[in-house]
Coordinates of all heavy atoms in Angstrom, one line a residue:
M35 N 61.0 84.5 79.0 CA 61.9 85.5 78.5 C 63.0 85.7 79.5 O 62.8 85.8 80.7 CB 61.2 86.8 78.3 CG 62.1 88.0 78.0 SD 61.2 89.5 77.8 CE 60.8 89.3 76.1
S36 N 64.3 85.8 79.0 CA 65.4 86.0 79.9 C 65.7 87.5 80.0 O 65.4 88.2 79.0 CB 66.6 85.2 79.5 OG 67.0 85.6 78.2
I37 N 66.4 87.9 81.0 CA 66.8 89.3 81.2 C 67.8 89.5 80.1 O 68.5 88.6 79.6 CB 67.3 89.5 82.6 CG1 67.3 91.0 82.9 CG2 68.7 89.0 82.8 CD1 67.3 91.3 84.3
D38 N 67.9 90.8 79.6 CA 68.7 91.2 78.5 C 68.3 90.8 77.2 O 69.0 91.0 76.2 CB 70.2 90.7 78.7 CG 70.9 91.5 79.8 OD1 70.7 92.7 80.0 OD2 71.6 90.8 80.6
S39 N 67.1 90.3 77.0 CA 66.6 90.1 75.7 C 66.0 91.3 75.1 O 65.5 92.2 75.8 CB 65.5 89.0 75.7 OG 64.4 89.4 76.4
L40 N 66.1 91.5 73.8 CA 65.7 92.8 73.2 C 65.2 92.5 71.8 O 65.9 91.8 71.0 CB 66.8 93.8 73.1 CG 66.6 95.1 72.6 CD1 65.6 95.9 73.4 CD2 67.9 95.9 72.5
D41 N 64.0 92.9 71.5 CA 63.5 92.8 70.1 C 63.7 94.2 69.4 O 63.9 95.2 70.1 CB 62.0 92.6 70.2 CG 61.6 91.3 70.8 OD1 62.4 90.3 70.7 OD2 60.5 91.2 71.4
S42 N 63.7 94.1 68.1 CA 63.8 95.4 67.4 C 62.5 96.2 67.3 O 61.5 95.6 67.4 CB 64.3 95.1 66.0 OG 63.5 94.3 65.3
G43 N 62.7 97.4 67.2 CA 61.5 98.3 67.2 C 61.0 98.5 65.8 O 61.5 97.9 64.9
P44 N 59.9 99.3 65.7 CA 59.3 99.5 64.4 C 60.3 100.2 63.4 O 61.0 101.1 63.7 CB 58.1 100.4 64.6 CG 58.5 101.1 65.9 CD 59.4 100.2 66.7
G45 N 60.4 99.6 62.2 CA 61.3 100.2 61.2 C 62.8 100.0 61.6 O 63.6 100.7 61.0
D46 N 63.1 99.2 62.5 CA 64.4 99.0 63.0 C 65.1 97.8 62.4 O 64.4 96.8 62.1 CB 64.3 98.8 64.5 CG 65.6 98.8 65.2 OD1 66.5 97.9 65.0 OD2 65.8 99.7 66.1
S47 N 66.3 97.9 62.1 CA 67.0 96.8 61.4 C 67.8 96.0 62.4 O 68.8 95.4 62.1 CB 67.9 97.3 60.3 OG 68.8 98.2 60.8
G48 N 67.4 95.9 63.7 CA 68.0 95.1 64.7 C 68.8 95.9 65.8 O 69.4 95.3 66.6
S49 N 68.8 97.2 65.7 CA 69.5 98.0 66.7 C 68.8 98.0 68.1 O 69.4 98.3 69.1 CB 69.7 99.4 66.3 OG 68.5 100.1 66.3
G50 N 67.5 97.6 68.1 CA 66.8 97.5 69.4 C 66.3 98.8 69.8 O 65.8 98.9 71.0
E51 N 66.3 99.9 69.0 CA 65.8 101.2 69.4 C 64.3 101.2 69.4 O 63.7 100.7 68.4 CB 66.3 102.3 68.5 CG 67.8 102.4 68.6 CD 68.3 102.9 70.0 OE1 67.6 103.8 70.6 OE2 69.3 102.4 70.5
W52 N 63.6 101.7 70.4 CA 62.2 101.9 70.4 C 61.9 103.2 71.1 O 62.3 103.4 72.2 CB 61.5 100.7 71.1 CG 60.1 100.6 70.9 CD1 59.1 101.4 71.3 CD2 59.4 99.6 70.1 NE1 57.8 101.0 70.9 CE2 58.0 99.9 70.1 CE3 59.9 98.5 69.3 CZ2 57.1 99.1 69.4 CZ3 58.9 97.8 68.7 CH2 57.6 98.1 68.7
P53 N 61.1 104.1 70.5 CA 60.9 105.4 71.1 C 60.0 105.2 72.4 O 59.0 104.5 72.4 CB 60.1 106.2 70.1 CG 59.7 105.2 69.0 CD 60.5 104.0 69.2
I54 N 60.5 105.8 73.5 CA 59.8 105.6 74.8 C 58.8 106.8 74.9 O 59.2 108.0 74.9 CB 60.9 105.7 75.9 CG1 61.9 104.6 75.8 CG2 60.2 105.6 77.3 CD1 61.4 103.2 75.8
A55 N 57.6 106.5 75.1 CA 56.5 107.5 75.3 C 56.4 108.0 76.7 O 56.1 109.1 77.0 CB 55.2 106.9 74.8
R56 N 56.8 107.1 77.6 CA 56.7 107.5 79.1 C 57.7 106.7 79.9 O 58.0 105.5 79.6 CB 55.3 107.1 79.6 CG 55.0 107.4 81.0 CD 53.9 108.5 81.2 NE 53.8 108.8 82.6 CZ 52.8 108.6 83.3 NH1 51.7 108.0 82.8 NH2 52.7 109.0 84.6
D57 N 58.3 107.4 80.9 CA 59.3 106.8 81.7 C 58.8 106.8 83.2 O 58.3 107.8 83.6 CB 60.5 107.7 81.6 CG 61.8 106.9 81.6 OD1 61.9 105.8 82.2 OD2 62.8 107.4 81.1
V58 N 58.9 105.7 83.8 CA 58.5 105.6 85.2 C 59.7 105.2 86.1 O 60.4 104.2 85.8 CB 57.4 104.5 85.4 CG1 57.1 104.2 86.9 CG2 56.1 104.9 84.7
D59 N 59.9 106.0 87.1 CA 61.0 105.8 88.0 C 60.4 105.1 89.3 O 59.8 105.7 90.1 CB 61.7 107.1 88.4 CG 62.9 106.8 89.3 OD1 63.2 105.7 89.7 OD2 63.6 107.8 89.7
A60 N 60.6 103.8 89.4 CA 60.1 103.0 90.5 C 61.3 102.5 91.4 O 61.1 101.5 92.1 CB 59.3 101.9 90.0
R61 N 62.4 103.2 91.3 CA 63.5 102.8 92.1 C 63.2 103.0 93.6 O 62.5 103.9 93.9 CB 64.8 103.6 91.7 CG 65.3 103.1 90.3 CD 66.5 104.0 89.9 NE 66.0 105.3 89.5 CZ 66.7 106.2 88.9 NH1 68.0 106.0 88.6 NH2 66.2 107.4 88.5
D62 N 63.7 102.1 94.4 CA 63.5 102.1 95.8 C 62.1 101.7 96.3 O 61.7 101.9 97.4 CB 64.0 103.4 96.5 CG 65.4 103.6 96.3 OD1 66.2 102.6 96.3 OD2 65.8 104.8 96.0
L63 N 61.2 101.3 95.3 CA 59.9 100.9 95.7 C 59.8 99.4 95.7 O 60.4 98.7 94.9 CB 58.8 101.4 94.6 CG 58.7 102.9 94.5 CD1 57.7 103.3 93.4 CD2 58.3 103.5 95.8
R64 N 59.1 98.8 96.7 CA 59.0 97.4 96.8 C 57.8 96.9 96.1 O 56.8 97.6 95.9 CB 58.9 97.0 98.3 CG 60.1 97.5 99.2 CD 61.4 97.0 98.7 NE 62.0 96.0 99.5 CZ 63.1 95.4 99.2 NH1 63.7 95.7 98.0 NH2 63.7 94.6 100.0
C65 N 57.8 95.6 95.8 CA 56.7 94.9 95.2 C 55.5 95.1 96.0 O 55.6 95.0 97.3 CB 57.1 93.4 95.1 SG 55.8 92.4 94.4
P66 N 54.3 95.4 95.5 CA 54.0 95.4 94.0 C 54.0 96.8 93.4 O 53.5 97.0 92.3 CB 52.6 94.9 94.0 CG 52.0 95.5 95.3 CD 53.1 95.5 96.3
L67 N 54.6 97.8 94.1 CA 54.5 99.2 93.6 C 55.1 99.4 92.2 O 54.5 100.1 91.4 CB 55.1 100.1 94.6 CG 54.3 100.3 95.9 CD1 55.0 101.2 96.9 CD2 52.9 100.8 95.6
P68 N 56.3 98.8 91.8 CA 56.7 99.1 90.5 C 55.7 98.6 89.4 O 55.5 99.4 88.4 CB 58.0 98.2 90.4 CG 58.5 98.2 91.8 CD 57.3 98.1 92.6
L69 N 55.1 97.5 89.6 CA 54.1 97.0 88.6 C 52.8 97.9 88.7 O 52.3 98.2 87.6 CB 53.8 95.6 88.9 CG 52.9 94.9 87.9 CD1 53.5 95.0 86.5 CD2 52.7 93.4 88.3
L70 N 52.4 98.3 89.8 CA 51.2 99.2 89.9 C 51.5 100.5 89.2 O 50.6 101.0 88.5 CB 50.8 99.4 91.4 CG 50.3 98.2 92.1 CD1 50.1 98.5 93.6 CD2 49.0 97.7 91.5
R71 N 52.7 101.1 89.4 CA 53.0 102.3 88.7 C 53.0 102.1 87.2 O 52.6 103.0 86.4 CB 54.3 102.9 89.2 CG 54.4 103.2 90.6 CD 53.9 104.6 90.9 NE 53.7 104.9 92.3 CZ 54.6 105.5 93.1 NH1 55.8 105.8 92.6 NH2 54.3 105.7 94.3
A72 N 53.5 101.0 86.8 CA 53.5 100.7 85.3 C 52.1 100.6 84.8 O 51.8 101.1 83.7 CB 54.3 99.4 85.1
K73 N 51.2 99.9 85.5 CA 49.8 99.7 85.1 C 49.1 101.1 85.0 O 48.4 101.3 84.0 CB 49.0 98.8 86.1 CG 49.4 97.4 86.0 CD 48.5 96.6 87.0 CE 48.8 95.2 87.0 NZ 48.0 94.5 88.0
Q74 N 49.4 102.0 85.9 CA 48.8 103.3 85.9 C 49.3 104.1 84.6 O 48.5 104.7 83.9 CB 49.1 104.1 87.1 CG 48.4 103.6 88.3 CD 48.9 104.2 89.6 OE1 50.1 104.7 89.7 NE2 48.1 104.2 90.7
A75 N 50.6 104.0 84.4 CA 51.2 104.7 83.2 C 50.7 104.1 81.9 O 50.4 104.9 80.9 CB 52.7 104.6 83.3
L76 N 50.5 102.8 81.8 CA 50.0 102.2 80.6 C 48.6 102.7 80.2 O 48.3 102.7 79.0 CB 50.0 100.6 80.7 CG 51.4 100.0 80.6 CD1 51.3 98.5 81.0 CD2 51.9 100.1 79.1
R77 N 47.8 103.0 81.2 CA 46.4 103.5 80.9 C 46.4 104.7 80.1 O 45.5 105.0 79.3 CB 45.7 103.7 82.2 CG 45.1 102.5 82.8 CD 44.2 102.8 84.0 NE 45.1 103.3 85.1 CZ 44.8 103.1 86.3 NH1 43.7 102.6 86.7 NH2 45.6 103.6 87.3
D78 N 47.5 105.5 80.2 CA 47.6 106.8 79.5 C 48.2 106.7 78.1 O 48.3 107.7 77.4 CB 48.4 107.8 80.3 CG 47.7 108.2 81.7 OD1 46.4 108.0 81.7 OD2 48.4 108.5 82.6
L79 N 48.7 105.5 77.8 CA 49.4 105.3 76.5 C 48.5 104.8 75.4 O 47.5 104.1 75.7 CB 50.6 104.4 76.6 CG 51.7 104.8 77.6 CD1 52.8 103.7 77.5 CD2 52.3 106.1 77.2
A80 N 48.8 105.1 74.2 CA 48.0 104.6 73.1 C 48.6 103.2 72.7 O 49.8 102.9 73.0 CB 48.1 105.5 71.9
S81 N 47.9 102.4 72.0 CA 48.4 101.1 71.6 C 49.6 101.3 70.8 O 49.7 102.2 69.9 CB 47.3 100.4 70.8 OG 47.7 99.1 70.3
G82 N 50.6 100.5 71.0 CA 51.9 100.6 70.3 C 52.9 101.5 70.9 O 54.1 101.4 70.5
E83 N 52.5 102.3 71.9 CA 53.5 103.1 72.6 C 54.3 102.3 73.6 O 53.8 101.4 74.2 CB 52.8 104.3 73.2 CG 52.4 105.3 72.2 CD 51.8 106.6 72.8 OE1 51.1 106.6 73.8 OE2 52.2 107.7 72.3
A84 N 55.5 102.8 73.9 CA 56.4 102.1 74.8 C 56.5 102.8 76.1 O 56.6 104.0 76.2 CB 57.8 101.9 74.2
L85 N 56.6 102.0 77.2 CA 56.8 102.5 78.6 C 58.1 101.9 79.1 O 58.3 100.7 79.0 CB 55.6 102.0 79.4 CG 55.8 102.2 80.9 CD1 55.7 103.7 81.3 CD2 54.7 101.4 81.7
R86 N 58.9 102.7 79.7 CA 60.2 102.2 80.3 C 60.0 102.4 81.8 O 59.6 103.5 82.3 CB 61.4 103.0 79.9 CG 62.7 102.5 80.6 CD 63.9 103.2 80.1 NE 63.8 104.6 79.8 CZ 64.4 105.2 78.9 NH1 65.2 104.6 78.0 NH2 64.2 106.6 78.7
V87 N 60.3 101.3 82.6 CA 60.2 101.3 84.0 C 61.5 101.0 84.6 O 62.1 100.0 84.2 CB 59.1 100.3 84.6 CG1 59.1 100.4 86.1 CG2 57.8 100.6 83.9
R88 N 62.0 101.8 85.5 CA 63.3 101.5 86.2 C 62.9 101.1 87.6 O 62.2 101.9 88.3 CB 64.2 102.6 86.1 CG 64.7 102.9 84.7 CD 65.8 104.0 84.7 NE 66.3 104.2 83.4 CZ 66.0 105.3 82.7 NH1 65.1 106.2 83.1 NH2 66.4 105.4 81.5
A89 N 63.4 100.0 88.1 CA 63.1 99.5 89.5 C 64.4 98.9 90.1 O 65.3 98.4 89.4 CB 62.0 98.5 89.4
T90 N 64.4 98.9 91.4 CA 65.5 98.2 92.1 C 65.1 96.9 92.8 O 65.9 96.2 93.3 CB 66.1 99.2 93.2 OG1 65.1 99.7 94.0 CG2 66.9 100.3 92.5
D91 N 63.8 96.6 92.7 CA 63.3 95.4 93.3 C 63.6 94.2 92.4 O 63.1 94.2 91.3 CB 61.8 95.5 93.6 CG 61.2 94.3 94.3 OD1 61.9 93.3 94.5 OD2 60.0 94.4 94.6
V92 N 64.4 93.2 92.8 CA 64.8 92.1 91.9 C 63.5 91.3 91.5 O 63.5 90.7 90.4 CB 65.8 91.2 92.6 CG1 65.2 90.5 93.8 CG2 66.4 90.2 91.6
G93 N 62.5 91.3 92.4 CA 61.2 90.6 92.0 C 60.5 91.2 90.8 O 59.6 90.6 90.2
S94 N 60.9 92.5 90.5 CA 60.2 93.1 89.3 C 60.5 92.4 88.0 O 59.7 92.4 87.1 CB 60.6 94.6 89.2 OG 62.0 94.7 88.8
V95 N 61.6 91.6 87.9 CA 61.9 90.9 86.7 C 60.8 89.9 86.5 O 60.2 89.8 85.4 CB 63.3 90.2 86.8 CG1 63.5 89.3 85.6 CG2 64.4 91.3 86.9
R96 N 60.5 89.1 87.4 CA 59.5 88.0 87.3 C 58.1 88.7 87.2 O 57.3 88.2 86.4 CB 59.6 87.1 88.5 CG 58.5 86.0 88.5 CD 58.5 85.2 89.8 NE 58.0 86.1 90.9 CZ 58.7 86.5 91.9 NH1 59.9 86.2 92.1 NH2 58.2 87.4 92.8
D97 N 57.9 89.7 88.0 CA 56.6 90.4 87.9 C 56.2 90.9 86.6 O 55.1 90.7 86.1 CB 56.5 91.6 88.9 CG 56.5 91.1 90.4 OD1 56.3 89.9 90.7 OD2 56.8 92.0 91.3
F98 N 57.2 91.6 85.9 CA 56.9 92.1 84.6 C 56.8 91.0 83.5 O 56.0 91.2 82.6 CB 58.0 93.2 84.2 CG 57.7 94.5 84.8 CD1 58.2 94.8 86.0 CD2 56.9 95.4 84.1 CE1 57.9 96.1 86.6 CE2 56.6 96.7 84.7 CZ 57.1 97.0 85.9
Q99 N 57.5 90.0 83.7 CA 57.4 88.8 82.7 C 56.0 88.2 82.8 O 55.3 88.0 81.8 CB 58.4 87.8 83.0 CG 59.8 88.2 82.6 CD 60.9 87.3 83.1 OE1 60.6 86.3 83.8 NE2 62.1 87.5 82.7
S100 N 55.5 88.0 84.1 CA 54.2 87.5 84.3 C 53.1 88.4 83.8 O 52.1 88.0 83.2 CB 54.0 87.1 85.8 OG 54.8 86.1 86.2
F101 N 53.2 89.7 84.1 CA 52.3 90.7 83.8 C 52.1 90.8 82.3 O 51.0 90.8 81.7 CB 52.7 92.1 84.3 CG 51.8 93.2 83.8 CD1 50.4 93.3 84.2 CD2 52.3 94.2 83.0 CE1 49.6 94.3 83.8 CE2 51.5 95.2 82.5 CZ 50.2 95.3 82.9
A102 N 53.2 90.8 81.5 CA 53.1 90.8 80.1 C 52.4 89.6 79.5 O 51.6 89.7 78.6 CB 54.5 90.9 79.5
E103 N 52.7 88.5 80.0 CA 52.1 87.2 79.6 C 50.6 87.3 79.8 O 49.8 86.9 78.9 CB 52.7 86.0 80.3 CG 52.7 84.8 79.5 CD 53.5 83.7 80.3 OE1 54.8 83.8 80.4 OE2 52.9 82.8 80.8
L104 N 50.2 87.7 81.0 CA 48.7 87.7 81.3 C 48.0 88.9 80.7 O 46.8 88.7 80.4 CB 48.6 87.8 82.9 CG 49.1 86.6 83.6 CD1 49.1 86.9 85.1 CD2 48.2 85.4 83.3
S105 N 48.6 90.0 80.5 CA 47.9 91.2 80.0 C 47.9 91.4 78.5 O 47.0 92.1 78.0 CB 48.6 92.5 80.6 OG 49.8 92.7 80.0
G106 N 48.8 90.7 77.8 CA 48.9 90.8 76.4 C 49.8 92.0 75.9 O 50.0 92.1 74.7
H107 N 50.3 92.8 76.9 CA 51.3 93.8 76.5 C 52.6 93.1 76.2 O 52.9 92.0 76.7 CB 51.5 94.8 77.6 CG 50.2 95.5 78.0 ND1 49.5 96.3 77.2 CD2 49.6 95.6 79.2 CE1 48.5 96.8 77.8 NE2 48.5 96.4 79.1
R108 N 53.4 93.7 75.3 CA 54.6 93.1 74.9 C 55.8 93.5 75.8 O 56.0 94.7 75.9 CB 54.9 93.5 73.5 CG 56.1 92.9 72.9 CD 56.1 93.2 71.4 NE 57.4 92.9 70.8 CZ 57.9 93.4 69.7 NH1 57.1 94.3 69.1 NH2 59.0 93.1 69.2
L109 N 56.5 92.6 76.4 CA 57.7 92.9 77.2 C 58.8 92.9 76.2 O 59.3 91.9 75.7 CB 57.9 91.9 78.3 CG 59.1 92.1 79.2 CD1 59.0 93.5 79.8 CD2 59.2 91.0 80.2
L110 N 59.2 94.1 75.8 CA 60.2 94.3 74.7 C 61.6 94.1 75.2 O 62.5 93.5 74.5 CB 60.1 95.7 74.1 CG 60.9 96.0 72.9 CD1 60.4 95.3 71.7 CD2 60.9 97.5 72.7
H111 N 61.9 94.5 76.4 CA 63.3 94.5 76.9 C 63.3 94.4 78.4 O 62.5 95.0 79.1 CB 64.0 95.8 76.4 CG 65.3 96.0 77.0 ND1 66.4 95.5 76.5 CD2 65.7 96.8 78.0 CE1 67.5 95.9 77.2 NE2 67.1 96.7 78.1
Q112 N 64.3 93.7 79.0 CA 64.6 93.7 80.4 C 66.1 93.7 80.5 O 66.8 92.9 79.8 CB 64.1 92.5 81.1 CG 62.6 92.5 81.4 CD 62.1 91.4 82.3 OE1 62.4 90.3 82.0 NE2 61.5 91.8 83.3
S113 N 66.7 94.5 81.4 CA 68.1 94.4 81.7 C 68.4 94.9 83.1 O 67.5 95.4 83.8 CB 68.9 95.4 80.7 OG 68.5 96.7 80.9
E114 N 69.6 94.6 83.6 CA 70.0 95.0 84.9 C 71.4 95.6 84.8 O 72.3 95.1 84.1 CB 70.1 93.8 85.8 CG 70.4 94.1 87.3 CD 71.8 94.2 87.6 OE1 72.7 93.7 86.9 OE2 72.1 94.9 88.6
E115 N 71.5 96.8 85.5 CA 72.8 97.4 85.5 C 72.9 98.1 86.9 O 72.1 99.0 87.2 CB 72.9 98.5 84.4 CG 74.3 99.1 84.4 CD 74.5 100.0 83.2 OE1 73.9 99.8 82.1 OE2 75.3 101.0 83.3
A116 N 73.9 97.7 87.6 CA 74.2 98.3 88.9 C 73.0 98.3 89.9 O 72.7 99.2 90.6 CB 74.7 99.8 88.8
G117 N 72.3 97.1 89.8 CA 71.2 97.0 90.7 C 69.9 97.6 90.3 O 68.9 97.6 91.0
V118 N 69.9 98.2 89.1 CA 68.7 98.9 88.6 C 68.2 98.0 87.4 O 68.9 97.8 86.4 CB 68.9 100.3 88.1 CG1 67.7 100.9 87.5 CG2 69.4 101.2 89.3
Y119 N 66.9 97.6 87.5 CA 66.3 96.7 86.5 C 65.5 97.6 85.6 O 64.6 98.4 86.1 CB 65.4 95.7 87.2 CG 66.2 94.8 88.1 CD1 66.4 95.1 89.4 CD2 66.8 93.7 87.6 CE1 67.2 94.3 90.2 CE2 67.6 92.8 88.4 CZ 67.8 93.2 89.7 OH 68.5 92.4 90.5
T120 N 65.7 97.5 84.3 CA 65.0 98.3 83.3 C 64.0 97.4 82.6 O 64.5 96.3 82.1 CB 65.9 99.0 82.4 OG1 66.8 99.9 83.1 CG2 65.2 99.8 81.3
H121 N 62.8 97.8 82.5 CA 61.7 97.0 81.8 C 61.1 97.9 80.7 O 60.8 99.0 81.0 CB 60.7 96.5 82.7 CG 61.2 95.9 84.0 ND1 61.7 94.6 84.1 CD2 61.4 96.5 85.2 CE1 62.1 94.4 85.3 NE2 61.9 95.5 86.0
I122 N 61.0 97.4 79.5 CA 60.3 98.2 78.5 C 59.1 97.4 78.0 O 59.3 96.2 77.5 CB 61.2 98.6 77.3 CG1 62.4 99.4 77.8 CG2 60.4 99.3 76.2 CD1 63.4 99.8 76.8
L123 N 57.9 98.0 78.2 CA 56.7 97.3 77.7 C 56.1 98.1 76.6 O 56.2 99.4 76.6 CB 55.6 97.3 78.9 CG 55.9 96.4 80.0 CD1 55.0 96.9 81.2 CD2 55.6 95.0 79.7
V124 N 55.5 97.4 75.6 CA 54.7 98.1 74.6 C 53.3 97.8 74.8 O 52.9 96.6 74.9 CB 55.2 97.6 73.2 CG1 54.4 98.3 72.1 CG2 56.7 98.0 73.0
K125 N 52.5 98.8 74.8 CA 51.0 98.6 75.1 C 50.4 97.9 73.9 O 50.6 98.3 72.8 CB 50.3 99.9 75.3 CG 48.9 99.8 75.7 CD 48.3 101.1 76.2 CE 46.8 100.8 76.6 NZ 46.2 102.1 77.1
S126 N 49.5 96.9 74.2 CA 48.8 96.2 73.2 C 47.7 97.0 72.6 O 47.3 98.0 73.2 CB 48.3 94.8 73.7 OG 47.5 95.0 74.8

């Protein structure tokens, strides 16, 4: 998956909107802390709920891609703006 890819949300006709159930601010945290914070937050979500994580560690892009592949959670979106990487995961 490349950065800036976006799938449509439930009932969405392509706008890419997905309701965020939880937001994690992992800016200024180094690997592996952004991913660890995301894992902790995912435990509290129900299946199908979305988690948004904001991080400044460039390695988080690869980390979240690998995590989604291995865990079965859906990596819905990744983007970068002004050095902040946004990842949206949907719990499986």
